[in-house]
Amino acid sequence: MSTNANGQRRQMHLNLFIQGIGHHEAAWRHPNTDPMNMLDIGYYQRLAKRAEEAKFDSIFIADGLAINSNINFGPFNNFFEPFTLLAAIAAVTESIGLIGTASTTYGEPYDVARKFASLDHVSKGRAGWNIVTTGNEMSAHNFGKEAHLEHSQRYVRANEFLEVTRKLWDSWDDDALVVDRRKGMFTDPSKIREIHHKGNIFDVRGPSDIPRSPQGYPVLVQAGSSEDGREFAAKYAEAIYTAQNRLDDAREFYTDVKRRMLKYGRTPDQLNILPGMAPIVGLTESEAKEKEQELNEYIVPEYGLHQLSKSLNVDLFTYPLDGPLPEVPSVESINGGKSRYQVYVDLARRENLTIRQLIHRIAFGRGHGTYAGTPEQIADYFEEWFREGGCDGFNMLFPHLPHDMERFIELVIPELRRRGLFRTEYAGRTLRENMGLTRPVNQFATTPIKIG
Amino acid sequence: MSTNANGQRRQMHLNLFIQGIGHHEAAWRHPNTDPMNMLDIGYYQRLAKRAEEAKFDSIFIADGLAINSNINFGPFNNFFEPFTLLAAIAAVTESIGLIGTASTTYGEPYDVARKFASLDHVSKGRAGWNIVTTGNEMSAHNFGKEAHLEHSQRYVRANEFLEVTRKLWDSWDDDALVVDRRKGMFTDPSKIREIHHKGNIFDVRGPSDIPRSPQGYPVLVQAGSSEDGREFAAKYAEAIYTAQNRLDDAREFYTDVKRRMLKYGRTPDQLNILPGMAPIVGLTESEAKEKEQELNEYIVPEYGLHQLSKSLNVDLFTYPLDGPLPEVPSVESINGGKSRYQVYVDLARRENLTIRQLIHRIAFGRGHGTYAGTPEQIADYFEEWFREGGCDGFNMLFPHLPHDMERFIELVIPELRRRGLFRTEYAGRTLRENMGLTRPVNQFATTPIKIG
């Protein structure tokens, strides 16, 4: 049994990716779900509380900065904005991590840094930031831009953005707030400093107006798997949400990114790689397969065609649904999600899928892993990926919420626990503690203090 | 007894302005307060719950986008960012309004519009936006700007900013979300529209990615009282936080702004003017005066000198503390808070105050009204202002929190209720309903639906 540096048994990390009423694209049409939950904060709070009872590490909220052009045929993102949603969840939970998406392309570092610092204070150390450069070109038009910034330029901006936010989070020493009533000294001026960042893109004086937060920084999460994305992740990310369907691919990715960390002076245990997984749990294998089949019967083909056309940058409406995927533009032409493009094309080519088959395959989780089976089979799958160097845990994309999460918690988690693969109690109070991540040392502090 | 258009007795509106552990600048040094509450979300939640029990209309959170340069001598703003703070409070309250500050100078309309829409959904119709153009010049340096935008230019931007956000909030009809499972129709495409805003400053395509919220828009609140500020308020504001010390001034302001509303086709009852009030409640008048005196003994003169020097754009450290206020630059030279400048100068000149006296006078609420007296005297003061055309209620700036709020709730609110001046129950579920404000009609909808 593998152990970590402290001699503790290595266990997997589970993240609940909350996307409306489930990740299956037709979840909203199924009697299992209630689509109006998407406008009910109580629904999101109950999901998070249930995931906390089951000892998930965290919940995760994706975000776009534009309406999904496909909304007539189904929802895509949540109807809540991440910071307001996560803060409202923080108020009714105690231990579960709260990971929200914010864009480095359309945000300002000062604004993003203080919102995460505040969320980390609100949650007493449970904030995480899913750093995105924004894949949706429509966003540009909502922010006064003629066109979306080119892919590699977005990563140049993201790198400097991170540099600025980390300086801002370190602009207060942990012990800068002295509150000496007698002397009339509220803060120690030597422990709060302007950062005077002047880079190619950003010019930010600082300091932050918020004291250093319980975790120092939010846990930094990233999802892109392109060349730029891998390098960025190796430098900054403490968790990666990735999309792999096969263990071989997952292993290649895992090994590659963890190796890249070394050149940034980072140790591989400071990054948790969490492939996406959309499980369909059945008491028997055939029940699971039937359920998988049933879910797909609700698919509106227009929705899938539209999403896929966007992702592959080709108009699939002009091709027969039951014919093969046509030639598609090269990955260089893609200025949105390059990783998603690659997953879709590989899947179709490898398995010779028709357009309809591809739509059905990605309906569960947009190219993330899916697996229909019994609790034991799913636990086997998880165990193999985890022990064979494919991952440090999973990003759970349940097809229907809360239904499929309930099934997983009742049937699969006990099996994972029997095998010693998943916790029965939280290890600590902060998300960093539960994910086995160190609290960042303050880059400026002359007398660094370790809290928590 | 005055009644409104529906024949209901007109009652005053009370807003709790939450600023750390109280508005008195030396509150943090007094044994009444616990300064570490500033980092405890539970403290803010308890304040809001208590204000809700007492049936306040709303709580209000100010915000800056830079650290207060005076922080070594005391806190200024809260340590939480408004959206995360208010959403965490929304989760533990049911009826009280949640008003947060966001800047039109350093924000983007798409981002601000969706955050308030989301907060309105999270709170089920209790969001309010205190629209600021940002008075603090330091903010510019945190957002890559060489200099702070000039005062009137900030208002030009604010006007267009409001135009864009209102279009975004109206980009969905109230009944656009149809969720027809059988047909596979999630939204009605004819009821969601791009806004194609192209102005001098902003270029925003839209639509919003969030369905129209319970209140349509957040309640729009404004605080500037300059010429630009009054005009802006007359056009947009549904509540104004203003600073007056004398009923005559308050009446002039009240009459002027309500009159200006007419040219924008608005009726005066659609705006609540709420002067700031920092009450010191004593069981006897002398107890109240003693308490007022005691609070000021904790003042750190450097703090007051620093704040006042910034507000008046003059270095007061070079003048004797017990001498008169020197000549100060004209209001035209002020590019921060022009209203605050005017209040301070008027106060000093009118009452021939020394610098120290002026610091003490503004220590309670930075130029807002203060009044030390018995519960009856305070109720008399409130009643006179309310009945004599000075206001529609008050923005409460308690010197110490929660101490002075508790005293007010226990001693003054019962007296206001005995006089029929303040509610015993909330009138409705949304902030608009409780403030007597109509829900905005959708400017685009062809079949406007009224909800709530």
Side-chain angles (χ1 to χ4, degrees), chain B residues 253-268:
Chain B
F253 179 82
Y254 189 96
T255 311
D256 177 59
V257 177
K258 295 235 172 178
R259 188 165 41 214
R260 291 179 195 228
M261 293 172 76
L262 302 178
K263 66 170 172 275
Y264 299 105
R266 304 182 63 208
T267 55

Side-chain angles (χ1 to χ4, degrees), chain B residues 18 41 44-45 48 59 61 84-93 98:
Chain B
I18 303 182
I41 186 67
Y44 287 91
Q45 291 170 327
I59 59 166
I61 304 295
T84 40
L85 177 53
L86 290 174
I89 291 173
V92 299
T93 53
L98 306 165

Side-chain angles (χ1 to χ4, degrees), chain A residues 27-36 38-42 45 63-68 71-85 87-92 106 108-111 114-115 118-119 121-124 138 140-146 168 172 177 179-190 192 194 198 202-212 300, chain B residues 27-36 38-42 45 63-68 71-85 87-92 106 108-111 114-115 118-119 121-124 138 140-146 168 172 177 179-190 192 194 198 202-212 300:
Chain A
W28 71 277
R29 297 189 69 202
H30 195 284
N32 261 352
T33 66
D34 178 1
M36 295 317 285
M38 288 189 67
L39 284 171
D40 179 8
I41 185 69
Q45 290 169 327
D63 193 40
L65 293 169
I67 199 171
N68 180 28
I71 194 156
N72 297 325
F73 302 114
F76 190 75
N77 282 324
N78 299 306
F79 284 146
F80 293 97
E81 174 280 333
F83 287 103
T84 40
L85 177 53
I89 291 173
V92 298
Y106 297 104
E108 282 282 337
Y110 192 85
D111 180 56
R114 73 197 288 264
K115 285 198 167 67
S118 185
L119 182 63
H121 280 295
V122 163
S123 63
K124 302 197 185 291
M138 309 271 293
H141 305 300
N142 290 331
F143 287 82
K145 305 280 191 289
E146 284 295 313
L168 288 168
W172 287 58
L177 192 63
V179 191
D180 187 328
R181 286 173 154 177
R182 200 180 44 79
K183 284 191 198 158
M185 186 190 204
F186 186 66
T187 57
D188 180 340
S190 72
I192 302 174
E194 294 179 345
K198 278 186 200 298
F202 299 112
D203 182 350
V204 179
R205 184 185 289 178
S208 174
D209 55 315
I210 298 182
R212 201 160 191 262
V300 186
Chain B
W28 71 277
R29 296 189 69 201
H30 194 284
N32 261 352
T33 66
D34 177 0
M36 294 316 286
M38 288 189 66
L39 283 171
D40 180 7
I41 186 67
Q45 291 170 327
D63 193 42
L65 293 169
I67 199 171
N68 180 29
I71 194 156
N72 297 326
F73 302 114
F76 189 75
N77 282 325
N78 299 306
F79 285 146
F80 293 97
E81 173 281 333
F83 287 103
T84 40
L85 177 53
I89 291 173
V92 299
Y106 297 104
E108 282 282 337
Y110 192 85
D111 179 56
R114 75 196 288 263
K115 285 198 167 67
S118 185
L119 182 63
H121 280 296
V122 163
S123 63
K124 302 198 185 291
M138 309 272 292
H141 306 300
N142 289 332
F143 288 82
K145 305 281 190 288
E146 285 295 314
L168 288 167
W172 289 56
L177 193 62
V179 191
D180 187 329
R181 286 173 155 178
R182 199 179 47 77
K183 285 192 199 157
M185 187 189 203
F186 186 67
T187 57
D188 180 340
S190 71
I192 301 175
E194 294 179 345
K198 279 188 200 298
F202 299 111
D203 181 349
V204 179
R205 183 185 290 178
S208 175
D209 56 315
I210 298 182
R212 201 158 190 263
V300 186

Side-chain angles (χ1 to χ4, degrees), chain A residues 205-348:
Chain A
R205 184 185 289 178
S208 174
D209 55 315
I210 298 182
R212 201 160 191 262
S213 73
Q215 295 190 111
Y217 314 159
V219 171
L220 302 177
V221 184
Q222 202 264 356
S225 301
S226 65
E227 175 61 27
D228 288 332
R230 288 180 186 209
E231 206 58 32
F232 184 83
K235 187 169 177 186
Y236 291 114
E238 298 170 300
I240 302 183
Y241 301 142
T242 178
Q244 272 100 25
N245 289 281
R246 300 191 311 168
L247 179 53
D248 281 354
D249 295 342
R251 265 209 203 104
E252 182 280 320
F253 180 82
Y254 189 97
T255 311
D256 176 59
V257 177
K258 295 235 171 178
R259 188 164 43 213
R260 291 180 196 228
M261 293 173 75
L262 302 177
K263 67 172 171 273
Y264 298 107
R266 302 183 64 206
T267 56
D269 67 334
Q270 290 301 300
L271 167 62
N272 292 305
I273 296 182
L274 308 175
M277 165 46 61
I280 302 113
V281 187
L283 292 177
T284 63
E285 193 174 339
S286 62
E287 188 201 324
K289 300 290 182 200
E290 274 163 34
K291 206 173 152 194
E292 183 176 22
Q293 181 61 35
E294 189 212 341
L295 294 185
N296 279 341
E297 284 164 13
Y298 287 93
I299 289 175
V300 186
E302 286 86 346
Y303 183 95
L305 277 171
H306 191 107
Q307 295 296 113
L308 198 54
S309 297
K310 271 200 305 183
S311 295
L312 303 181
N313 196 19
V314 67
D315 180 7
L316 294 174
F317 284 87
T318 62
Y319 295 90
L321 204 51
D322 293 309
L325 189 68
E327 281 302 307
V328 294
S330 72
V331 67
E332 285 72 29
S333 80
I334 305 295
N335 191 20
K338 283 184 191 286
S339 341
R340 180 164 301 164
Y341 164 95
Q342 203 61 59
V343 169
Y344 292 173
V345 172
D346 290 352
L347 193 62

Side-chain angles (χ1 to χ4, degrees), chain A residues 372-388:
Chain A
T374 65
E376 292 71 28
Q377 288 174 321
I378 292 174
D380 288 347
Y381 181 107
F382 275 41
E383 182 162 10
E384 185 185 14
W385 279 54
F386 181 64
R387 295 220 191 277
E388 304 293 326

Side-chain angles (χ1 to χ4, degrees), chain B residues 135-288:
Chain B
N136 183 348
E137 304 202 29
M138 309 272 292
S139 308
H141 306 300
N142 289 332
F143 288 82
K145 305 281 190 288
E146 285 295 314
H148 194 42
L149 207 58
E150 185 274 320
H151 190 273
S152 68
Q153 284 308 304
R154 295 206 305 275
Y155 275 97
V156 169
R157 183 178 161 106
N159 267 284
E160 195 180 324
F161 199 108
L162 261 285
E163 195 185 328
V164 180
T165 54
R166 298 214 299 190
K167 287 177 182 171
L168 288 167
W169 292 322
D170 286 342
S171 62
W172 289 56
D173 289 6
D174 286 312
D175 57 350
L177 193 62
V178 291
V179 191
D180 187 329
R181 286 173 155 178
R182 199 179 47 77
K183 285 192 199 157
M185 187 189 203
F186 186 67
T187 57
D188 180 340
S190 71
K191 294 182 173 180
I192 301 175
R193 55 193 76 72
E194 294 179 345
I195 64 168
H196 293 292
H197 176 92
K198 279 188 200 298
N200 289 324
I201 301 169
F202 299 111
D203 181 349
V204 179
R205 183 185 290 178
S208 175
D209 56 315
I210 298 182
R212 201 158 190 263
S213 73
Q215 295 190 109
Y217 314 159
V219 171
L220 303 177
V221 184
Q222 202 263 357
S225 301
S226 64
E227 173 62 26
D228 289 331
R230 289 179 185 210
E231 206 58 32
F232 184 83
K235 187 169 178 187
Y236 291 114
E238 298 170 300
I240 303 183
Y241 301 142
T242 178
Q244 272 99 26
N245 289 280
R246 300 192 311 169
L247 179 52
D248 282 353
D249 295 342
R251 265 209 204 102
E252 181 280 322
F253 179 82
Y254 189 96
T255 311
D256 177 59
V257 177
K258 295 235 172 178
R259 188 165 41 214
R260 291 179 195 228
M261 293 172 76
L262 302 178
K263 66 170 172 275
Y264 299 105
R266 304 182 63 208
T267 55
D269 66 334
Q270 290 301 301
L271 169 62
N272 292 306
I273 295 181
L274 309 175
M277 165 46 61
I280 303 114
V281 187
L283 291 178
T284 62
E285 192 175 338
S286 63
E287 187 200 326

